[in-house]
Amino acid sequence: MTYATIARDHLPALLARMPKAELHIHIEGSLEPELIFALAEKNGITLSYPNVEALRAAYAFTDLQSFLDLYYAGASVLIDEDDFYRMSMAYFARAHADHIVHAELFFDPQTHTERGVPMGAVIEGLARACADAKAQYGISASLILCFLRHLSEESAFDTLEAALPYRAHFIGVGLDSGERGNPPEKFSRVFAKCRALGLRIVAHAGEEGPPAYIESALDVLQVERIDHGVRCSEDTKLVQRLAATRMPLTVCPLSNVKLCVFKTMQEHNLATLLHAGLCITINSDDPAYFGGYLLTNFKAVFEALPQLNAQDAWQLARNSIDASFAPEADKECWRAALDQVFVDRALANA
Ligand code: HPA
Ligand code: ZN
């Protein structure tokens, strides 16, 4: 069945109702200014902004680094296990409202352990929230530990070792933070160890960094998904390779515009890549900083790119399920639920 003929007026309702997986969300990037101030007060931390409005007003970024400076400052209010739990539960409430059925949460342990926060407080707080997301909302959630690429590979090894007592609580590892000058191959040995441990492998590449970083994430780190990857379009051969292998790209449209990777949403290459056969997914990245959660990202994309239709909406949701690391039996249930939403709409139209 094709859904291409469903009228565009139905898109907002379809985008909201369709079951979706979110595969690229930094949980520290879901800290809203209100919660940053509440946690700062609870933990006796003085922020360099007088109030919520002043902090929000500072969210005018020129590039990735200008965002990361604020993002790490915001995360400094997280001190104990319950802080990590509260932050994550606030995200899951939003995820549920957006009809997210599965979420894979990135977290940055080095941001916290470098401030003296124990690894156990970070991971146990996040893991408790993942369990409660399932119990309260029926959301399946898992954790992906990210190494900060502006730090050394030795620091990544130390982080991995500190996290291994909590191995049952995370499914994989990723690579984030400032991309320029920090290519994937800087972390070749630690990722080899992670692969040997049976961890799932992803990495940010081709957000601000060149197409060569996408290639080394594939060839050296042997990733199973590329986070962002939008700069692949500068290399035709690479685009062909990504399409032929159906390598998933976790694209974050509002993030890309906020961090000036694209000047406007109209200029975003997501529709072009999707129509070239790449396994594109839509994600929120750091929703508290970039102007919206997952559904807001979907709506912004479909408003700005008139070449996208209901078939594309179905494909994007389907890609998110297919590209997730969830068990196959769960994926089958979500695929059937997704099809039902579109079949119902198509039949109502007929
Ligand atoms: N890119 C790299 N590192 C990050 C990001 C991002 O978009 N968000 C949080 N850490
Ligand atoms: Zn990211």
Side-chain angles (χ1 to χ4, degrees):
M1 193 163 208
T2 174
Y3 307 117
T5 52
I6 296 175
R8 273 187 74 84
D9 319 353
H10 295 303
L11 276 172
L14 279 172
L15 295 175
R17 283 182 56 210
M18 62 188 193
K20 300 172 269 296
E22 173 142 67
L23 308 178
H24 186 157
I25 155 91
H26 302 264
I27 196 59
E28 294 93 341
S30 74
L31 259 184
E32 293 286 344
E34 290 77 6
L35 187 53
I36 291 180
F37 273 86
L39 292 176
E41 191 175 43
K42 173 194 155 233
N43 291 323
I45 292 168
T46 309
L47 296 163
S48 40
Y49 295 88
N51 52 40
V52 163
E53 292 69 33
L55 177 56
R56 215 184 279 280
Y59 293 178
F61 311 115
T62 49
D63 61 5
L64 177 57
Q65 192 57 51
S66 65
F67 154 70
L68 289 171
D69 293 342
L70 262 176
Y71 165 81
Y72 295 128
S76 71
V77 301
L78 298 159
I79 304 291
D80 63 28
E81 190 261 10
D82 200 57
D83 299 343
F84 290 90
Y85 175 82
R86 278 174 70 182
M87 168 177 68
S88 311
M89 288 313 288
Y91 165 71
F92 287 127
R94 305 253 195 177
H96 180 61
D98 282 358
H99 210 161
I100 289 174
V101 293
H102 175 74
E104 295 178 11
L105 274 49
F106 291 144
F107 68 107
D108 287 339
Q110 286 150 300
T111 303
H112 314 299
T113 52
E114 289 213 327
R115 298 181 287 112
V117 176
M119 183 66 85
V122 179
I123 298 186
E124 285 175 345
L126 299 176
R128 183 159 65 91
C130 289
D132 284 1
K134 184 79 191 170
Q136 284 186 30
Y137 300 118
I139 295 176
S140 135
S142 40
L143 298 172
I144 296 179
L145 182 160
C146 283
F147 301 119
L148 297 181
R149 69 202 302 159
H150 67 274
L151 300 178
S152 66
E153 188 180 44
E154 192 189 349
S155 173
F157 268 114
D158 292 345
T159 303
L160 178 62
E161 195 181 303
L164 282 181
Y166 309 95
R167 170 70 184 85
H169 291 314
F170 59 99
I171 59 164
V173 292
L175 186 64
D176 64 2
S177 189
E179 192 179 1
R180 286 200 191 107
N182 296 302
E185 55 270 29
K186 178 177 166 186
F187 296 92
S188 60
R189 285 162 299 224
V190 74
F191 274 80
K193 176 155 185 203
C194 291
R195 291 197 307 275
L197 288 166
L199 288 157
R200 310 304 296 255
I201 306 291
V202 299
H204 283 53
E207 176 188 20
E208 281 194 350
Y213 284 20
I214 300 175
E215 285 180 322
S216 59
L218 294 169
D219 296 330
V220 181
L221 304 188
Q222 300 177 29
V223 294
E224 299 170 80
R225 297 194 297 248
I226 295 283
D227 296 313
H228 292 293
V230 289
R231 282 194 61 193
C232 70
S233 55
E234 295 167 31
D235 181 335
T236 313
K237 277 227 163 68
L238 178 58
V239 169
Q240 286 165 358
R241 175 182 180 184
L242 294 169
T245 54
R246 294 284 294 158
M247 174 59 58
L249 262 53
T250 63
V251 175
C252 306
L254 285 173
S255 164
N256 291 153
V257 175
K258 276 277 181 184
L259 300 187
C260 309
V261 175
F262 298 95
K263 276 204 215 78
T264 64
M265 194 63 87
Q266 284 76 16
E267 290 165 73
H268 203 290
N269 63 0
L270 177 154
T272 308
L273 294 175
L274 182 69
H275 292 161
L278 276 73
C279 182
I280 301 295
T281 66
I282 290 184
N283 305 272
S284 69
D285 209 6
D286 300 281
Y289 292 88
F290 298 147
Y293 288 76
L294 187 57
L295 180 55
T296 307
N297 271 272
F298 268 98
K299 287 185 171 167
V301 164
F302 277 78
E303 267 165 34
L305 303 174
Q307 62 272 46
L308 292 176
N309 62 27
Q311 182 68 29
D312 297 311
W314 176 87
Q315 188 69 59
L316 287 161
R318 173 63 190 250
N319 289 348
S320 76
I321 296 167
D322 291 349
S324 79
F325 296 139
E328 193 54 39
D330 290 344
K331 292 187 183 188
E332 273 307 311
C333 288
W334 301 325
R335 286 179 187 123
L338 171 64
D339 289 352
Q340 198 60 53
V341 168
F342 281 77
V343 167
D344 286 351
R345 180 68 263 163
L347 291 178
N349 254 13

